Amino acid sequence: MTVSLSGVHVLVDDPDAALAFYRDTLGLTVRNEVEHGGFRWITLVTDSQPEVAIVLSQPHAGRSKEDGDALAALLAKGVLNMIQFRSGDLDATVGKVAETPGAEVLQEPASQSWGVRDAAMRDPAGNLVRIEQG
């Protein structure tokens, strides 16, 4: 039996701002976009791993109002799980993030005790994103 990662969901409060960050800043490619019931699901992939999708969706999309409200509150606090990327040019990537409206660089590129050189930032929705030098 073989199991592999096919996708990761990332909650965002503003799909357009998230799309600008993940597509325009980080360079991901939109594979699919679906609208239903006033909500959007945007599927993106990287050129180096097109088989692994990142799906951007809103907290209330496909959920009850109560569950959506709870997720929206956690998103607003910035306490949802982080997403990790790898970049061939970490310094250039962090430079682009620093210029992206709504994004925030939390930690400049640094060598970590666990053996990687990485940086930390928040996307426009407040999600923690770490990018390591690859």
Side-chain angles (χ1 to χ4, degrees):
M1 178 173 81
T2 301
V3 176
S4 60
L5 183 64
S6 66
V8 175
H9 285 252
V10 176
L11 292 176
V12 299
D13 52 2
D14 181 342
D16 291 322
L19 187 58
F21 179 78
Y22 289 98
R23 181 193 60 201
D24 303 337
T25 300
L26 297 185
L28 279 66
T29 301
V30 175
R31 178 187 287 166
N32 192 19
E33 186 170 346
V34 176
E35 293 188 37
H36 180 71
F39 298 105
R40 291 164 61 195
W41 289 262
I42 304 167
T43 303
L44 302 115
V45 297
T46 65
D47 290 340
S48 62
Q49 292 177 300
E51 71 280 5
V52 179
I54 295 170
V55 180
L56 306 176
S57 64
Q58 296 153 281
H60 290 88
R63 296 178 182 87
S64 69
K65 179 173 178 0
E66 180 180 87
D67 289 347
D69 288 348
L71 287 171
L74 292 172
L75 178 62
K77 289 173 69 172
V79 296
L80 295 176
N81 291 330
M82 80 170 136
I83 186 166
Q84 294 177 268
F85 290 96
R86 184 174 297 122
S87 172
D89 188 342
L90 180 61
D91 294 301
T93 301
V94 172
K96 285 184 75 172
V97 170
E99 296 172 357
T100 301
E104 176 187 10
V105 175
L106 301 174
Q107 176 205 342
E108 294 291 332
S111 294
Q112 304 298 338
S113 61
W114 54 89
V116 300
R117 181 171 181 268
D118 75 352
M121 60 218 58
R122 292 208 181 271
D123 72 7
N127 291 300
L128 180 60
V129 177
R130 290 198 79 91
I131 302 177
E132 70 180 55
Q133 179 71 46

